[in-house]
Amino acid sequence: MNQMFVNDAVNPRKPIPSKLVVILLILSFSPLCSRALKIPPPLPILPVPSSPQLQWQLSSTAMFLHFGPNTFTDSEWGSGMADPSVFNPTRINASQWVSVAKDAGFSRVILTAKHHDGFCLWPSEYTDYSVRSSPWRYGIGDVVAELAIAAKDAGLDLGLYLSPWDRHEATYGKTHEYNEFYMAQMTELLTRYGEIKEVWLDGAKGEGEKDMEYFFDSWFSLIHQLQPGAVIFSDAGPDTRWIGDEAGVAGSTCWSLFNRSDAKIGGTDPKYSQEGDLLGHDWVPPECDVSIRPGWFWHASEVPKSAKTLLDIYYKSVGRNCIFLLNVPPNSSGLISAEDVEVLQEFSELRKAIFSHNLAENAIIYASSIRGGHRSSQFEPYNVLKEGIYPYWAPEENQSEWILYLNLQESVSFNVLRIQEPIHMGQRIIAFHIEVLNDNGEWKQAISGTTVGYQRLLRFPTEKSRHLKFVIDNSRAEPLISYLGIYLDQFSILTSTFNTGSHGSFNGSQVLQQSTHNCSQTAAVS
């Protein structure tokens, strides 16, 4: 367009040339005509997690720190009668605890601020049974404060455990008085130490102890009022639930869905806790707690579990839609022991070696259908190769099959499947399986599983193929997949043999039609 044409076009005293009118009309309407409108996402299926629950779930692992007079008296459940002078760690270093946790890949630390013996690791104004009465730091120390500062500096979340059972407090057994006492101590913990991300409590109590009614609803209201970003753990929630054992093992079917009305703190059916409830009305995801040592407090006579044992527990906790809460108790000097640190470092290296590279990352992916049609990129199947839960593949509604086909572009060996759902849209998948294309050009089912949730990890005898098919067999609504990965685990110890066409239980799933050439090398994890 030359200068004369421009001048003519902007001169209000001259009529606009018809040629320019056409150009302006094209420019005005063409963006609207060519721009593809976004397809709305599918409706979430209830229940769904709250914001604190979602942030909690994304962390995957946390470290528990059992520390107190029991550390020095070689006890697990202290009597509440130990002299406060026994608590005197000479080299306590909360920064070391946090550094060990962070180096091992944990994003949260939870401290036993008060265990069953009633001894407080902070200078509570409601009891004389605390660090204030000990010789440590000349009676002016505060373990909770030191850990809070160290965690904040390292960027780790902080959680606190305040035991409801108190074997020292004189008001224990007097319902009204003790509930006031407990809530007063809870208020101290939740108002002095910055942001608290998890409050941990349980219904543990020894046989023959005083009867005591806990005002849980009042406690929960107080916690959410003082720390709205915190999740509350107990046998029955309200925000996250105990898995029902202290081995760190979830059920092979594991729903975040739960009915809180069917659970009671201190009296919930372990099987119900382990599996959750397909028909549950509440979102109460599970947490798997286990200690690195036989006991929860440090004992000189005990040694830590091996890194491979921790890896097996990882598959059965994080790999089954749970948080893995590993207790690593500081020793009597106030440090995490060197042998525990060594195991944690090896555990971290094993996970990195297995999961640092998705063998499907360069795969060509096809889907049985795509929400909005195959020209839609918003819900395309390639979303499953992106880390995180927010982009996801969504199929069209009212389909009879839900399948992802992966062409890996070269033949690869793998024995671990990782699947994630966008849980902010609800937990959907009830059952699934994977198939591989064998050398005879036939599809062979390799493994099947139930429930996915935030993350599912399945181990199976090693397969080698170029083509993989992920099939969802049943779902509460149209299934959504946010991540799919395959990996090679060369470290898990395998203990039983699979034959061609055999059916065996493996990591809580069904292994089908194992190839003969793999039988001498692979078998099920115990």
Side-chain angles (χ1 to χ4, degrees):
M1 190 180 295
N2 59 34
Q3 188 63 41
M4 180 179 295
F5 187 75
V6 172
N7 290 339
D8 288 344
V10 299
N11 188 340
R13 297 180 181 178
K14 293 186 177 181
I16 300 176
S18 58
K19 180 180 180 180
L20 181 58
V21 171
V22 173
I23 293 173
L24 292 174
L25 288 171
I26 292 173
L27 292 176
S28 298
F29 288 102
S30 60
L32 293 175
C33 296
S34 63
R35 184 179 65 207
L37 297 177
K38 292 184 70 174
I39 305 297
L43 288 173
I45 181 168
L46 300 178
V48 295
S50 66
S51 178
Q53 286 175 320
L54 187 57
Q55 292 304 312
W56 171 88
Q57 186 82 67
L58 296 177
S59 61
S60 293
T61 56
M63 182 179 286
F64 220 165
L65 298 161
H66 275 64
F67 191 53
N70 294 347
T71 308
F72 304 87
T73 60
D74 202 30
S75 304
E76 281 292 307
W77 279 9
S79 66
M81 304 304 291
D83 193 299
S85 65
V86 303
F87 184 81
N88 191 22
T90 56
R91 298 176 58 200
I92 187 170
N93 185 348
S95 294
Q96 187 248 8
W97 305 350
V98 169
S99 177
V100 169
K102 188 171 184 177
D103 290 346
F106 297 95
S107 57
R108 176 171 301 184
V109 289
I110 301 176
L111 175 69
T112 55
K114 184 188 79 171
H115 204 251
H116 310 324
D117 60 356
F119 186 84
C120 300
L121 295 183
W122 79 101
S124 174
E125 297 177 10
Y126 298 96
T127 182
D128 58 1
Y129 201 54
S130 76
V131 288
R132 180 178 287 164
S133 300
S134 77
W136 176 67
R137 300 274 199 261
Y138 305 100
I140 58 173
D142 187 333
V143 180
V144 179
E146 293 188 17
L147 180 59
I149 293 170
K152 183 177 181 181
D153 289 345
L156 267 62
D157 292 338
L158 176 64
L160 298 173
Y161 170 43
L162 185 66
S163 171
W165 181 28
D166 191 321
R167 305 186 78 179
H168 178 85
E169 174 55 35
T171 63
Y172 190 85
K174 301 175 182 178
T175 298
H176 187 82
E177 290 89 338
Y178 182 73
N179 275 278
E180 288 181 336
F181 171 81
Y182 186 90
M183 292 181 71
Q185 288 200 321
M186 182 67 77
T187 299
E188 287 182 322
L189 290 174
L190 301 186
T191 57
R192 292 183 180 181
Y193 302 105
E195 189 172 17
I196 305 300
K197 285 294 191 177
E198 185 166 351
V199 175
W200 216 89
L201 53 92
D202 57 23
K205 188 173 70 170
E207 293 183 8
E209 293 292 325
K210 300 174 184 177
D211 289 334
M212 183 71 224
E213 179 185 357
Y214 302 132
F215 294 167
F216 285 118
D217 288 341
S218 295
W219 298 2
F220 298 160
S221 295
L222 176 71
I223 294 166
H224 283 150
Q225 180 187 83
L226 297 178
Q227 292 285 346
V231 295
I232 302 172
F233 167 95
S234 81
D235 303 35
D239 300 313
T240 174
R241 74 180 192 265
W242 184 42
I243 199 58
D245 61 55
E246 292 186 343
V249 176
S252 58
T253 293
C254 191
W255 292 97
S256 292
L257 282 60
F258 199 71
N259 277 330
R260 289 183 56 205
S261 59
D262 293 339
K264 179 181 179 182
I265 298 176
T268 302
D269 176 16
K271 190 174 188 295
Y272 188 67
S273 297
Q274 287 182 339
E275 295 187 359
D277 193 336
L278 169 62
L279 304 177
H281 300 295
D282 305 304
W283 185 275
V284 189
E287 186 166 303
C288 294
D289 60 323
V290 64
S291 185
I292 195 171
R293 291 165 173 257
W296 290 89
F297 286 88
W298 177 84
H299 305 286
S301 62
E302 295 180 350
V303 296
K305 295 175 173 65
S306 70
K308 289 184 179 179
T309 297
L310 295 184
L311 178 63
D312 185 58
I313 297 172
Y314 182 86
Y315 278 110
K316 296 172 182 176
S317 56
V318 173
R320 294 180 180 176
N321 186 39
C322 301
I323 290 289
F324 180 22
L325 177 60
L326 179 64
N327 179 64
V328 185
N331 59 31
S332 56
S333 71
L335 298 173
I336 293 176
S337 298
E339 58 266 33
D340 293 21
V341 174
E342 183 178 352
V343 168
L344 290 171
Q345 289 174 341
E346 184 181 352
F347 175 45
S348 176
E349 290 167 2
L350 289 177
R351 301 196 320 272
K352 289 177 183 176
I354 297 168
F355 297 108
S356 61
H357 177 53
N358 182 1
L359 298 173
E361 66 180 1
N362 295 318
I364 299 171
I365 305 183
Y366 304 93
S368 52
S369 67
I370 301 173
R371 184 177 177 84
H374 285 270
R375 293 185 179 181
S376 172
S377 62
Q378 186 179 352
F379 302 107
E380 66 179 5
Y382 283 97
N383 285 337
V384 305
L385 298 180
K386 302 172 184 176
E387 287 284 351
I389 64 170
Y390 293 103
Y392 54 84
W393 164 65
E396 286 280 26
E397 295 181 349
N398 303 316
Q399 298 298 301
S400 59
E401 61 178 24
W402 306 299
I403 304 175
L404 288 173
Y405 303 87
L406 281 75
N407 178 351
L408 304 175
Q409 302 197 66
E410 62 179 345
S411 185
V412 299
S413 297
F414 56 94
N415 55 18
V416 176
L417 173 70
R418 177 186 171 202
I419 299 293
Q420 291 184 274
E421 288 182 272
I423 57 172
H424 56 291
M425 303 294 287
Q427 188 176 357
R428 297 165 177 251
I429 296 173
I430 297 174
F432 64 90
H433 70 271
I434 62 170
E435 300 177 24
V436 296
L437 194 65
N438 63 21
D439 294 337
N440 297 325
E442 300 173 338
W443 285 105
K444 179 189 70 170
Q445 183 166 308
I447 194 160
S448 64
T450 60
T451 62
V452 175
Y454 173 63
Q455 184 165 229
R456 188 67 191 262
L457 300 172
L458 286 180
R459 292 171 291 180
F460 46 89
T462 302
E463 297 284 355
K464 187 173 184 179
S465 181
R466 177 175 176 172
H467 296 278
L468 171 68
K469 185 162 61 173
F470 178 75
V471 183
I472 298 155
D473 301 301
N474 197 2
S475 184
R476 296 172 64 225
E478 279 73 21
L480 309 175
I481 301 295
S482 56
Y483 191 81
L484 188 155
I486 56 172
Y487 306 88
L488 183 64
D489 177 355
Q490 303 182 69
F491 309 103
S492 290
I493 300 172
L494 309 175
T495 58
S496 62
T497 301
F498 290 89
N499 299 312
T500 303
S502 68
H503 292 59
S505 177
F506 187 90
N507 197 30
S509 299
Q510 293 300 311
V511 179
L512 304 178
Q513 302 175 0
Q514 170 59 26
S515 299
T516 304
H517 73 272
N518 284 331
C519 293
S520 61
Q521 303 173 16
T522 60
V525 174
S526 59

